[in-house]
Amino acid sequence: MCWLLLLLLSRSSSSIFPPRPGIMAEFSDLLLSVLSSVRVPRSGDRVHKDECVFSFDTPESEGGLYICMNTFLGFGKQHVEKHYQKTGQRAYLHLRRTRLPKVDDGSSGAGDPPKKKPTRLAIGVEGGFEVDTENFEYDEEVKVIILPENAIILRDSLTLMSTAVRDRVSASIDAMLAADSASRKQEIQAWDGEVRQVSKHALDLKQMGNNLRIPPCGWKCSRCDLKENLWLNLTDGSILCGRRYFDGSGGNNHALEHYKQSGYPLAVKLGTITPDGADVYSYDEDDMVLDPNLAEHLSHFGINMMKMQKTDKTMTELEIDMNQRIGEWETIQESGVHLKPLYGPEYTGMQNLGNSCYLNSVMQVVFSIPDFQNKYVGNLEKIFKDSPSDPTQDFNTQVAKLGYGLLSGEHSKPPPETEDSDPEPGKQVELDGIAPRMFKTLVGKGHPEFSTNRQQDAQEFFLHFINMVERNCRSSENPNEAFRFLVEERINCLASGKVKYTQRVDYIMQLPVPMEAAINKDELAEYEVKKREAEEDKNTLLEMVRAKIPFESCLQSYAMPEQVDDFWSTALLAKSVAVKKTRFASFPDYLVIQIKKFTFGLDWVPKKLDVSIEMPDELDISQLRGGGLQTGEEELPDIAPPLVTPDETKAPVLDESVVIQLAEMGFPLEACRKAVYHTGNSGVEAAMNWVMSHMEDPDFANPLVLPCSSGPGSTVTVSDLPSEDSIATIVSMGFSREQAARALKATSNSLERAVDWIFSRIDDLDAEAAMDVSEGRSAAESLSESVPPGPKVRDGSGKYHLFAFISHMGTSTMCGHYVCHIKKEGRWVIYNDQKVCASEKPPKDLGYIYFYQRAGS
């Protein structure tokens, strides 16, 4: 009978039922027995139909994907049986897709059209940067699997079942197939960097009645002789040059200076005016904007917008050109040479999920370190067994899944060889790699930056990941010990001669770049002259000349004593001048060095120092070890300094590095200053928590007002005793009553903020809270404020050898691209998202973050 062919059983011989006349009723009864557990997904449910929660199996994998019809979690073939045994869930929707090449019907012409040069600063939209399109179709099989019987029931056979079974199961299948997958809901398919908002000044812009008429061409800056990158102020008709770019090109900042002097906010870029519009910039709003009345505003100065033609590059075109800078991109990606693809364990690439290269590069390096391999991949079975009901929300599970995917080699297999075709010479083989969607979603959850698809700073993500590891390793093996080291800070009060020694935990050595130490100053000066000459000859293409900074000079700058003005001396009980010296109190197994290439100019515009630093393969920093209190030195009294001294009402000295980091994320400058003030200079993590907790405050962006001043401002009141319920809640998490009370006191008795506060200071919990304010801490110190008790900090020789580095291409941390190079099996390997190849010319002088391993380990 035909209907018998629609009912299939497992291919396993042990599960085949002998066909008999009552088989239809038997299968109907089987579905009826699980019907109560079959759910129809609602709009809020996440259907994980693209990827296994424990592996990177997908419907395209050999065994397909099994989606639980109750929880909507997806499982690969090797994990579905374990889920059934753990939960008792028996009904699963089995998806199996077979990739088929698209059939060319001849209507599109022969071959693929050449890729168009991007004309729009966007991804996945017309004219923007192209995303890879699929040149294949899918043949999809949909079945229902019942465990433990391993019965396989085809979707079409449901029409022969009872009405109750057919309606419920069909509704569940249809809804699961129609629902957006969990990963799809998290992704932004297209990003448009040109979407602009209407300026708040456009509708009521005041224009001077000076009868000024602007000619249609022949413009030049009224303060210098520049004839390009010119901006017409829409209030008074001034024509002035634009900003100077990070690489020295652009203008002389005269248009910006004019705004600061006059306050006239809107300007249009001359040469971009066409009947369709123009580039309009709002200095007050600090962004490109729309001006609905642009034609009227231009006609005020005699400019007929309908007759204008484009003669200069738009700001979008300039940024696209910047993102395609040939020199740096080709060098770091080694795109000028043919690279041999590598396959197998530890050679698995990671797909770029839309500006996720920062995450890919960091995690490739992290899982090249044995501590992380042993913690997560070595304990894989236990982590998976102990995972909660929703493994997608469990940090340890998703980190272990990612680690196994990178190290196992299951997703890094060479393409099958074909006898009838040879690879084209010089053609790079495209690899799929793994897509860390669940991991990225989880580690970015709740974070204002890492939860987006924007580009991020790899160093900030590294510290964010380290912080999350700390939170999830309180009572277990902690792989962060590989990176953790103690910093010794010696402060010498020059007036009293007394000293103070403090130790703190850090994870990154931040190395300054002394530009004045460049060894090719003559070459740089010659390059600047040629670049200015080339500005007049658009056809001239100059080879970039970078400042060559000796590594020894960077090391000397790090070790150089730092003068501390307005130092509160506890010996004098007054302000003094002190000298601070930073040294290592311990040397970690793996030393992470960040080259401080990114900085802010005087106008708060972020810029990148384009430098070349020859990093040594072998490094010895033994001379940087501190020695603690020396014979004959007298310590400063251990008295907590006031945040504001009695003789002043001005704002205290704030950690400008933290203020800058927050401002770079887009928060108002005054809000950033208040965040650093109210968290006592305790680092970027604490300040970020303050920002997120106070974003809705009406005075969030108002200037900082000290509690002792008479002006308005928010003053944190901590005198009220915390509630017993809040203390009990925190104590139930495993913390002491004293720790709970301290956390609530520091967060104005806000339970939610107190929990964040206490988890961000895990290593500090056993230290006594003798001081509410700590001095001179770096961004990583939000992870810990004191020496962790016990054997949590390793120590050893200060001799290292280079084993990995992360490089950045682009103008700032907020754009561009990251790749990493890792030394494996005696050779350098480049990890460029999903591409993993043997490196031919590792650009060790252009790196951003370097990883050194202790020699002999």
Side-chain angles (χ1 to χ4, degrees), residues 17-90:
F17 291 358
R20 56 184 181 273
I23 193 170
M24 179 59 69
E26 193 168 323
F27 273 94
S28 184
D29 290 343
L30 193 59
L31 280 174
L32 193 60
S33 68
V34 300
L35 202 60
S36 61
S37 67
V38 174
R39 294 177 52 226
V40 178
R42 297 187 292 266
S43 59
D45 289 323
R46 293 177 299 153
V47 181
H48 296 274
K49 61 182 182 181
D50 286 345
E51 181 183 322
C52 172
V53 298
F54 291 119
S55 71
F56 290 94
D57 285 338
T58 70
E60 297 175 50
S61 302
E62 184 177 353
L65 193 69
Y66 299 78
I67 302 105
C68 176
M69 299 184 75
N70 179 267
T71 64
F72 311 122
L73 297 173
F75 301 93
K77 187 175 182 180
Q78 70 273 34
H79 294 288
V80 63
E81 183 74 24
K82 296 176 183 177
H83 182 256
Y84 155 69
Q85 294 173 354
K86 184 175 181 178
T87 65
Q89 297 295 337
R90 298 172 59 199

Coordinates of all heavy atoms in Angstrom, one line a residue, residues 17-90:
F17 N 10.5 -1.8 12.8 CA 9.3 -2.6 13.1 C 8.9 -3.4 11.9 O 8.9 -2.9 10.8 CB 8.1 -1.6 13.5 CG 8.3 -0.9 14.7 CD1 9.5 -1.1 15.5 CD2 7.4 0.0 15.2 CE1 9.6 -0.4 16.7 CE2 7.6 0.7 16.4 CZ 8.7 0.5 17.1
P18 N 8.4 -4.6 12.1 CA 7.9 -5.4 10.9 C 6.6 -4.8 10.4 O 5.7 -4.5 11.2 CB 7.7 -6.8 11.6 CG 7.6 -6.6 13.0 CD 8.4 -5.4 13.4
P19 N 6.5 -4.6 9.2 CA 5.3 -4.0 8.6 C 4.1 -4.9 8.9 O 4.2 -6.1 8.7 CB 5.6 -3.9 7.1 CG 6.7 -4.8 6.9 CD 7.5 -4.9 8.1
R20 N 3.0 -4.4 9.2 CA 1.8 -5.1 9.4 C 0.6 -4.2 9.2 O 0.7 -3.0 9.3 CB 1.8 -5.8 10.8 CG 1.9 -4.8 12.0 CD 2.0 -5.5 13.3 NE 2.1 -4.6 14.4 CZ 3.3 -4.1 14.9 NH1 4.4 -4.5 14.3 NH2 3.3 -3.3 15.9
P21 N -0.6 -4.7 9.1 CA -1.8 -3.9 8.8 C -2.1 -2.8 9.8 O -2.6 -1.8 9.5 CB -2.9 -4.9 8.7 CG -2.2 -6.2 8.3 CD -0.9 -6.2 9.0
G22 N -1.7 -3.1 11.1 CA -2.0 -2.1 12.1 C -1.0 -1.0 12.4 O -1.0 -0.4 13.4
I23 N 0.0 -0.9 11.4 CA 1.1 0.0 11.7 C 0.7 1.4 11.7 O 1.2 2.2 12.5 CB 2.2 -0.2 10.6 CG1 3.5 0.5 11.0 CG2 1.7 0.3 9.2 CD1 4.7 0.1 10.1
M24 N -0.3 1.8 10.9 CA -0.8 3.2 11.0 C -1.3 3.6 12.3 O -1.0 4.6 12.9 CB -1.8 3.5 9.9 CG -2.3 4.9 9.9 SD -1.0 6.1 9.6 CE -0.6 5.7 7.9
A25 N -2.1 2.7 12.9 CA -2.7 3.0 14.2 C -1.6 3.0 15.2 O -1.7 3.8 16.2 CB -3.8 1.9 14.5
E26 N -0.6 2.1 15.0 CA 0.5 2.1 16.0 C 1.3 3.4 16.0 O 1.6 3.9 17.1 CB 1.4 0.9 15.7 CG 2.3 0.5 16.8 CD 3.0 -0.8 16.5 OE1 2.3 -1.7 16.0 OE2 4.2 -0.9 16.9
F27 N 1.5 3.9 14.9 CA 2.3 5.2 14.8 C 1.4 6.4 15.3 O 1.9 7.3 15.9 CB 2.8 5.5 13.4 CG 4.1 4.9 13.1 CD1 4.2 3.6 12.6 CD2 5.3 5.5 13.5 CE1 5.4 3.0 12.3 CE2 6.5 4.9 13.3 CZ 6.6 3.7 12.7
S28 N 0.1 6.3 15.0 CA -0.8 7.3 15.5 C -0.8 7.3 17.0 O -0.8 8.4 17.7 CB -2.2 7.1 15.0 OG -3.1 8.2 15.4
D29 N -0.8 6.1 17.6 CA -0.8 6.0 19.1 C 0.6 6.5 19.6 O 0.6 7.1 20.7 CB -1.0 4.5 19.5 CG -2.4 4.1 19.2 OD1 -3.3 4.9 19.1 OD2 -2.6 2.8 19.2
L30 N 1.7 6.3 18.9 CA 3.0 6.7 19.3 C 3.0 8.3 19.4 O 3.5 8.8 20.3 CB 4.1 6.2 18.4 CG 5.5 6.3 18.8 CD1 5.8 5.6 20.1 CD2 6.4 5.8 17.7
L31 N 2.5 8.9 18.4 CA 2.4 10.4 18.4 C 1.5 10.9 19.5 O 1.7 11.9 20.1 CB 2.0 10.9 17.0 CG 3.1 11.0 15.9 CD1 2.5 11.4 14.6 CD2 4.2 12.0 16.3
L32 N 0.4 10.1 19.7 CA -0.6 10.5 20.7 C 0.1 10.5 22.1 O -0.2 11.3 22.9 CB -1.8 9.6 20.6 CG -3.0 10.1 21.4 CD1 -3.5 11.4 20.9 CD2 -4.1 9.0 21.3
S33 N 1.0 9.6 22.3 CA 1.6 9.5 23.6 C 2.6 10.6 23.9 O 2.9 10.9 25.1 CB 2.4 8.1 23.7 OG 3.6 8.2 22.8
V34 N 3.0 11.4 22.9 CA 3.9 12.5 23.1 C 3.2 13.8 22.8 O 3.8 14.9 22.9 CB 5.2 12.4 22.3 CG1 6.0 11.1 22.6 CG2 4.9 12.5 20.8
L35 N 1.9 13.8 22.5 CA 1.2 15.0 22.0 C 1.2 16.1 23.1 O 1.2 17.2 22.8 CB -0.2 14.6 21.6 CG -0.9 15.6 20.6 CD1 -0.1 15.7 19.4 CD2 -2.3 15.1 20.4
S36 N 1.1 15.7 24.4 CA 1.0 16.7 25.4 C 2.3 17.5 25.5 O 2.3 18.6 26.0 CB 0.7 16.0 26.8 OG 1.8 15.1 27.1
S37 N 3.5 17.0 25.0 CA 4.7 17.7 25.1 C 5.0 18.5 23.9 O 6.0 19.3 23.8 CB 5.9 16.7 25.4 OG 6.1 15.9 24.2
V38 N 4.2 18.3 22.8 CA 4.5 19.0 21.6 C 3.9 20.4 21.7 O 2.7 20.6 21.9 CB 3.8 18.3 20.4 CG1 3.9 19.1 19.1 CG2 4.5 16.9 20.2
R39 N 4.7 21.5 21.5 CA 4.2 22.8 21.6 C 4.3 23.5 20.3 O 5.1 23.2 19.4 CB 5.1 23.6 22.6 CG 5.0 23.1 24.0 CD 6.0 23.9 24.9 NE 5.8 25.4 24.7 CZ 6.8 26.2 24.5 NH1 8.1 25.8 24.5 NH2 6.6 27.5 24.4
V40 N 3.4 24.5 20.1 CA 3.5 25.4 18.9 C 4.2 26.7 19.3 O 3.8 27.4 20.3 CB 2.0 25.7 18.5 CG1 2.1 26.7 17.3 CG2 1.3 24.5 18.1
P41 N 5.3 27.0 18.7 CA 6.1 28.2 19.2 C 5.3 29.5 19.0 O 4.6 29.7 18.0 CB 7.3 28.1 18.2 CG 6.9 27.3 17.1 CD 6.0 26.3 17.6
R42 N 5.4 30.3 20.0 CA 4.8 31.6 20.0 C 5.8 32.7 19.5 O 7.0 32.4 19.4 CB 4.2 32.0 21.3 CG 3.1 31.0 21.8 CD 2.4 31.5 23.1 NE 3.3 31.4 24.2 CZ 3.4 30.4 25.0 NH1 2.6 29.4 24.9 NH2 4.3 30.4 26.0
S43 N 5.4 33.9 19.4 CA 6.2 34.9 18.9 C 7.5 35.2 19.8 O 8.5 35.5 19.3 CB 5.5 36.3 18.8 OG 5.0 36.7 20.0
G44 N 7.4 34.9 21.1 CA 8.5 35.2 21.9 C 9.5 34.0 22.1 O 10.6 34.2 22.7
D45 N 9.1 32.9 21.5 CA 10.0 31.7 21.6 C 11.2 31.8 20.6 O 11.0 32.2 19.5 CB 9.2 30.4 21.3 CG 8.2 30.1 22.4 OD1 8.6 30.3 23.6 OD2 7.1 29.6 22.1
R46 N 12.3 31.3 21.1 CA 13.5 31.2 20.2 C 13.6 29.8 19.7 O 13.7 28.8 20.5 CB 14.8 31.6 21.0 CG 14.8 33.1 21.4 CD 16.0 33.3 22.2 NE 16.1 32.6 23.4 CZ 17.2 32.2 24.1 NH1 18.3 32.6 23.6 NH2 17.1 31.5 25.2
V47 N 13.5 29.7 18.4 CA 13.6 28.3 17.7 C 15.0 28.2 17.2 O 15.4 28.8 16.2 CB 12.6 28.2 16.6 CG1 12.7 26.8 16.0 CG2 11.2 28.5 17.1
H48 N 15.8 27.2 17.8 CA 17.2 27.0 17.4 C 17.2 26.0 16.3 O 17.6 24.8 16.5 CB 18.0 26.6 18.6 CG 18.1 27.6 19.7 ND1 19.0 28.6 19.7 CD2 17.3 27.9 20.8 CE1 18.8 29.4 20.7 NE2 17.8 29.0 21.4
K49 N 16.9 26.4 15.1 CA 16.8 25.4 14.0 C 18.0 25.6 13.0 O 18.0 25.0 12.0 CB 15.5 25.6 13.3 CG 15.3 27.0 12.6 CD 13.9 27.1 12.0 CE 13.7 28.5 11.3 NZ 12.4 28.6 10.6
D50 N 19.0 26.4 13.4 CA 20.1 26.6 12.5 C 21.4 25.9 13.0 O 22.3 25.6 12.3 CB 20.5 28.1 12.4 CG 19.5 28.8 11.4 OD1 18.8 28.1 10.7 OD2 19.4 30.0 11.5
E51 N 21.4 25.6 14.3 CA 22.7 25.1 14.9 C 22.4 24.4 16.2 O 21.5 24.7 17.0 CB 23.5 26.4 15.2 CG 24.9 26.1 15.8 CD 25.6 27.4 16.1 OE1 25.5 28.4 15.3 OE2 26.3 27.5 17.2
C52 N 23.2 23.4 16.5 CA 23.2 22.6 17.7 C 23.6 23.4 18.9 O 24.5 24.3 18.7 CB 24.0 21.3 17.6 SG 24.2 20.4 19.1
V53 N 23.0 23.3 20.0 CA 23.4 24.1 21.2 C 24.7 23.6 21.8 O 25.4 24.3 22.6 CB 22.3 24.0 22.3 CG1 21.0 24.7 21.8 CG2 22.1 22.6 22.8
F54 N 25.2 22.4 21.5 CA 26.4 21.8 22.0 C 27.5 21.7 21.0 O 28.7 21.4 21.3 CB 26.2 20.4 22.6 CG 25.3 20.5 23.9 CD1 24.1 19.8 23.9 CD2 25.7 21.1 25.0 CE1 23.3 19.8 25.1 CE2 25.0 21.2 26.2 CZ 23.8 20.5 26.2
S55 N 27.2 21.8 19.7 CA 28.2 21.7 18.7 C 27.8 22.6 17.5 O 26.8 23.4 17.6 CB 28.2 20.3 18.1 OG 27.1 20.0 17.4
F56 N 28.6 22.6 16.5 CA 28.3 23.4 15.3 C 27.7 22.7 14.2 O 27.8 23.0 13.0 CB 29.6 24.1 14.8 CG 30.1 25.1 15.8 CD1 31.1 24.8 16.8 CD2 29.7 26.4 15.8 CE1 31.5 25.7 17.7 CE2 30.1 27.4 16.7 CZ 31.0 27.0 17.7
D57 N 27.0 21.6 14.5 CA 26.2 20.8 13.6 C 25.0 21.7 13.1 O 24.4 22.4 13.9 CB 25.7 19.5 14.2 CG 26.8 18.5 14.3 OD1 27.8 18.6 13.5 OD2 26.6 17.6 15.1
T58 N 24.7 21.6 11.9 CA 23.5 22.3 11.3 C 22.7 21.4 10.5 O 23.0 20.2 10.3 CB 24.1 23.4 10.3 OG1 24.7 22.8 9.2 CG2 25.1 24.3 11.0
P59 N 21.6 21.8 9.9 CA 20.8 21.0 9.0 C 21.6 20.4 7.8 O 21.2 19.4 7.2 CB 19.6 21.8 8.6 CG 19.4 22.8 9.7 CD 20.8 23.1 10.2
E60 N 22.7 21.1 7.5 CA 23.5 20.7 6.4 C 24.5 19.6 6.8 O 25.2 19.0 5.9 CB 24.2 21.8 5.7 CG 23.3 22.9 5.1 CD 24.1 24.1 4.6 OE1 25.1 23.9 3.9 OE2 23.7 25.2 5.0
S61 N 24.7 19.4 8.1 CA 25.6 18.4 8.5 C 25.1 17.0 8.1 O 24.0 16.8 7.8 CB 25.8 18.4 10.1 OG 26.3 19.7 10.5
E62 N 26.0 16.0 8.2 CA 25.7 14.7 7.7 C 24.5 14.1 8.5 O 23.6 13.5 7.8 CB 26.9 13.8 7.9 CG 26.7 12.4 7.4 CD 27.9 11.5 7.5 OE1 29.0 12.0 7.9 OE2 27.9 10.3 7.3
G63 N 24.4 14.3 9.7 CA 23.3 13.8 10.5 C 22.1 14.7 10.6 O 21.1 14.4 11.3
G64 N 22.2 15.9 10.0 CA 21.1 16.9 10.1 C 21.0 17.5 11.5 O 21.9 17.4 12.3
L65 N 19.9 18.1 11.8 CA 19.7 18.8 13.1 C 18.3 18.3 13.7 O 17.3 18.3 12.9 CB 19.7 20.3 12.9 CG 19.8 21.1 14.2 CD1 21.1 20.9 14.9 CD2 19.5 22.6 14.0
Y66 N 18.3 18.0 15.0 CA 17.1 17.6 15.7 C 16.6 18.7 16.6 O 17.3 19.2 17.5 CB 17.4 16.4 16.5 CG 17.8 15.2 15.7 CD1 19.1 15.1 15.2 CD2 16.9 14.1 15.4 CE1 19.6 14.0 14.5 CE2 17.3 13.0 14.7 CZ 18.7 12.9 14.2 OH 19.1 11.9 13.5
I67 N 15.4 19.3 16.3 CA 14.9 20.3 17.2 C 13.8 19.8 18.1 O 12.8 19.2 17.6 CB 14.3 21.5 16.3 CG1 15.4 22.0 15.4 CG2 13.8 22.6 17.2 CD1 15.2 21.6 13.9
C68 N 14.0 20.0 19.4 CA 13.0 19.5 20.4 C 11.7 20.2 20.1 O 11.7 21.4 20.1 CB 13.6 19.7 21.8 SG 12.4 19.3 23.1
M69 N 10.6 19.5 20.0 CA 9.3 20.1 19.8 C 8.7 20.6 21.0 O 7.5 21.1 21.0 CB 8.4 19.0 19.1 CG 9.0 18.6 17.7 SD 7.9 17.4 16.8 CE 6.7 18.6 16.2
N70 N 9.4 20.6 22.1 CA 8.9 21.2 23.4 C 9.7 22.4 23.8 O 9.2 23.5 24.1 CB 8.9 20.2 24.5 CG 8.5 20.7 25.8 OD1 9.2 21.2 26.6 ND2 7.1 20.7 26.0
T71 N 11.1 22.3 23.7 CA 11.9 23.4 24.1 C 12.4 24.2 22.9 O 13.0 25.3 23.1 CB 13.1 22.9 24.9 OG1 13.9 22.1 24.1 CG2 12.7 22.1 26.1
F72 N 12.3 23.6 21.7 CA 12.8 24.3 20.5 C 14.3 24.4 20.5 O 14.9 25.3 19.7 CB 12.1 25.6 20.2 CG 10.6 25.5 20.3 CD1 9.9 26.3 21.2 CD2 9.9 24.6 19.6 CE1 8.6 26.2 21.3 CE2 8.5 24.5 19.7 CZ 7.9 25.3 20.6
L73 N 15.0 23.7 21.3 CA 16.5 23.6 21.2 C 16.9 22.7 20.1 O 16.3 21.6 19.9 CB 17.1 23.2 22.6 CG 16.8 24.1 23.8 CD1 17.3 23.5 25.0 CD2 17.5 25.5 23.6
G74 N 18.0 23.0 19.4 CA 18.5 22.2 18.4 C 19.7 21.3 18.9 O 20.5 21.7 19.7
F75 N 19.8 20.1 18.3 CA 20.8 19.1 18.7 C 21.4 18.4 17.5 O 20.6 18.0 16.6 CB 20.3 18.1 19.7 CG 19.7 18.7 21.0 CD1 18.4 19.0 21.1 CD2 20.6 19.0 22.0 CE1 17.9 19.6 22.2 CE2 20.1 19.6 23.2 CZ 18.7 19.9 23.3
G76 N 22.7 18.2 17.5 CA 23.3 17.3 16.5 C 23.0 15.9 16.8 O 22.5 15.5 17.9
K77 N 23.4 15.0 15.9 CA 23.1 13.6 16.0 C 23.7 13.0 17.3 O 23.1 12.1 17.9 CB 23.6 12.9 14.8 CG 23.2 11.4 14.7 CD 23.7 10.8 13.4 CE 23.3 9.3 13.2 NZ 23.7 8.8 12.0
Q78 N 24.9 13.4 17.6 CA 25.6 12.9 18.8 C 25.1 13.4 20.1 O 25.4 12.9 21.2 CB 27.1 13.1 18.7 CG 27.5 14.5 18.9 CD 27.5 15.3 17.6 OE1 26.7 15.1 16.8 NE2 28.5 16.2 17.5
H79 N 24.2 14.4 20.1 CA 23.7 15.0 21.4 C 22.2 14.8 21.6 O 21.7 15.0 22.7 CB 24.0 16.5 21.4 CG 25.5 16.8 21.4 ND1 26.3 16.6 22.5 CD2 26.3 17.3 20.4 CE1 27.5 17.0 22.2 NE2 27.6 17.4 21.0
V80 N 21.4 14.4 20.6 CA 20.0 14.3 20.8 C 19.6 13.2 21.7 O 18.7 13.4 22.5 CB 19.3 14.2 19.4 CG1 19.7 12.9 18.7 CG2 17.8 14.3 19.5
E81 N 20.3 12.1 21.7 CA 20.0 11.0 22.6 C 20.3 11.4 24.0 O 19.5 11.1 24.9 CB 20.9 9.8 22.2 CG 20.6 8.5 23.0 CD 19.3 7.9 22.7 OE1 18.8 8.0 21.5 OE2 18.7 7.1 23.5
K82 N 21.3 12.2 24.3 CA 21.7 12.6 25.6 C 20.6 13.6 26.1 O 20.3 13.6 27.3 CB 23.0 13.3 25.6 CG 24.2 12.3 25.3 CD 25.5 13.1 25.2 CE 26.6 12.1 24.8 NZ 27.9 12.8 24.7
H83 N 20.1 14.4 25.3 CA 19.0 15.3 25.7 C 17.8 14.5 26.1 O 17.1 14.9 27.1 CB 18.7 16.3 24.6 CG 17.6 17.3 24.9 ND1 16.3 17.2 24.5 CD2 17.7 18.4 25.7 CE1 15.7 18.2 25.0 NE2 16.4 19.0 25.7
Y84 N 17.4 13.5 25.3 CA 16.3 12.7 25.7 C 16.5 12.0 27.0 O 15.6 12.0 27.9 CB 16.0 11.6 24.6 CG 15.3 10.4 25.1 CD1 13.9 10.5 25.5 CD2 15.9 9.2 25.3 CE1 13.3 9.4 26.0 CE2 15.3 8.1 25.8 CZ 13.9 8.2 26.1 OH 13.3 7.1 26.7
Q85 N 17.7 11.5 27.3 CA 17.9 10.8 28.5 C 17.9 11.8 29.7 O 17.5 11.4 30.8 CB 19.3 10.1 28.4 CG 19.3 9.0 27.4 CD 20.7 8.4 27.3 OE1 21.7 8.9 27.8 NE2 20.9 7.3 26.5
K86 N 18.3 13.0 29.5 CA 18.3 14.0 30.6 C 17.0 14.6 30.9 O 16.7 14.9 32.0 CB 19.4 15.1 30.2 CG 19.6 16.1 31.3 CD 20.7 17.1 30.9 CE 20.9 18.1 32.0 NZ 22.0 19.1 31.6
T87 N 16.2 14.8 29.8 CA 14.9 15.5 30.0 C 13.7 14.7 29.8 O 12.6 15.1 30.2 CB 14.9 16.7 29.0 OG1 14.8 16.2 27.7 CG2 16.1 17.6 29.1
G88 N 13.8 13.6 29.1 CA 12.6 12.8 28.8 C 11.8 13.2 27.6 O 10.8 12.6 27.3
Q89 N 12.3 14.3 27.0 CA 11.6 14.8 25.8 C 11.8 13.8 24.6 O 12.9 13.4 24.3 CB 12.1 16.2 25.4 CG 11.9 17.3 26.4 CD 10.4 17.5 26.6 OE1 9.6 17.3 25.7 NE2 10.1 18.1 27.7
R90 N 10.7 13.4 24.0 CA 10.8 12.3 23.0 C 10.6 12.8 21.6 O 11.0 12.1 20.6 CB 9.7 11.2 23.3 CG 9.9 10.6 24.7 CD 8.7 9.7 25.1 NE 8.5 8.7 24.0 CZ 7.4 8.0 23.9 NH1 6.3 8.3 24.6 NH2 7.3 7.1 22.9

